[in-house]
Amino acid sequence: MSFVKKFGAIYKTDLKLLRRDPMLLYSVAMTLVLLLIVRYFKDRVGVYYSLLALVVLVLIPMIFGMLPGFMMADEKEEKTVQALKVIPISSEAFLAYRLTWASIVVAVFTFVAPYILDIEIPQKGLLALMTLFLFEAWTYGLMISSLSESRMQALTVSKVLGWLLFLPPAIKLIVVWRNLSTDWSKFTAFLPTYWLYKVFEEISLNDYSNFPIALAVHLAWLIPLVVMFRKRVL
């Protein structure tokens, strides 16, 4: 079977899932609403706005990384993954296909979000954030698909992992808001989202010294997840 026919077979499955459960459309609408709500409060939160903007920005890769994770969990539950082994298709090619559309949506939202939020991010900073957001989306999607055997399990896993990944920027927001003497968010430095906000807050200073560290931490999470996916899923 040709490369095009292989992915055409998977694409038909995707269309069925989207017609039955249009989560992508709901997620796009929800993300736009969240961005507009945060923008509405810009003049009301003052100096805390940049961190509040980051909190909603972090949700973008989490929301759209969750969707392919759910789709792959559905495929595991309905035994579609086993059928894919007959095509045959490599784990890497399947992942590349499954995460491509999510990556495109994340990249588009990362590009337009600063305009909606009315925050200035230079092109270099935007590319840095976009790169990390893509890694975030892939990591979150692989976590859900590798640790779930059904849609119900995927919902539970996504909630637990979502709160975990959401901790660094949320704690940082509390530290700044309450003017705490200790930056408690540093104890979450093992999480990729910690380095995401470190890069974000230094963009205005034209300082990208933490970007290589952020990239390394994201890869340290992503590579084992890809290995786990190959062993447990496809």
Side-chain angles (χ1 to χ4, degrees):
M1 185 179 291
S2 69
F3 182 84
V4 175
K5 289 182 178 179
K6 289 178 184 179
F7 285 100
I10 308 174
Y11 183 68
K12 291 179 181 178
T13 302
D14 287 356
L15 289 178
K16 292 178 182 178
L17 288 172
L18 290 174
R19 283 198 299 265
R20 185 179 64 188
D21 188 8
M23 286 185 62
L24 178 60
L25 296 178
Y26 294 150
S27 299
V28 169
M30 181 177 68
T31 304
L32 285 172
V33 169
L34 286 172
L35 290 170
L36 291 171
I37 289 174
V38 172
R39 173 65 182 86
Y40 174 78
F41 286 100
K42 180 178 181 179
D43 297 328
R44 293 165 174 77
V45 297
V47 295
Y48 307 113
Y49 183 70
S50 61
L51 275 173
L52 186 60
L54 173 62
V55 168
V56 73
L57 284 173
V58 168
L59 289 175
I60 293 175
M62 291 177 64
I63 290 172
F64 295 105
M66 174 181 65
L67 298 183
F70 278 2
M71 294 182 75
M72 287 186 280
D74 272 341
E75 289 166 342
K76 288 170 70 176
E77 184 176 16
E78 297 176 0
K79 309 301 181 183
T80 310
V81 173
Q82 283 78 352
L84 292 174
K85 293 180 180 179
V86 182
I87 294 179
I89 184 174
S90 68
S91 302
E92 293 78 7
F94 176 71
L95 272 180
Y97 172 81
R98 177 59 72 231
L99 296 174
T100 294
W101 63 264
S103 302
I104 293 172
V105 177
V106 168
V108 170
F109 263 106
T110 306
F111 180 78
V112 301
Y115 297 98
I116 298 175
L117 294 171
D118 193 23
I119 56 177
E120 292 186 7
I121 300 179
Q123 185 177 11
K124 185 178 180 181
L126 194 61
L127 289 174
L129 287 180
M130 192 178 294
T131 301
L132 295 179
F133 280 177
L134 290 175
F135 278 104
E136 290 278 343
W138 301 339
T139 299
Y140 194 48
L142 282 170
M143 282 180 174
I144 294 173
S145 62
S146 298
L147 299 175
S148 307
E149 296 296 332
S150 66
R151 169 60 70 94
M152 290 305 297
Q153 285 186 14
L155 284 170
T156 302
V157 170
S158 66
K159 290 177 182 178
V160 175
L161 294 176
W163 282 111
L164 182 65
L165 293 174
F166 198 63
L167 274 179
I171 294 174
K172 182 65 175 181
L173 181 62
I174 294 173
V175 168
V176 174
W177 176 43
R178 302 300 297 176
N179 195 25
L180 301 179
S181 58
T182 302
D183 183 3
W184 294 97
S185 66
K186 65 183 179 181
F187 295 105
T188 63
F190 65 96
L191 295 172
T193 39
Y194 170 84
W195 296 100
L196 182 62
Y197 94 68
K198 292 290 288 184
V199 170
F200 178 80
E201 68 180 0
E202 292 174 354
I203 285 177
S204 60
L205 304 174
N206 197 30
D207 180 5
Y208 296 91
S209 58
N210 277 314
F211 179 74
I213 302 175
L215 204 58
V217 172
H218 280 76
L219 286 172
W221 278 80
L222 186 61
I223 292 174
L225 286 169
V226 172
V227 174
M228 185 185 299
F229 179 88
R230 294 182 63 183
K231 290 182 178 180
R232 300 187 60 179
V233 180
L234 188 63

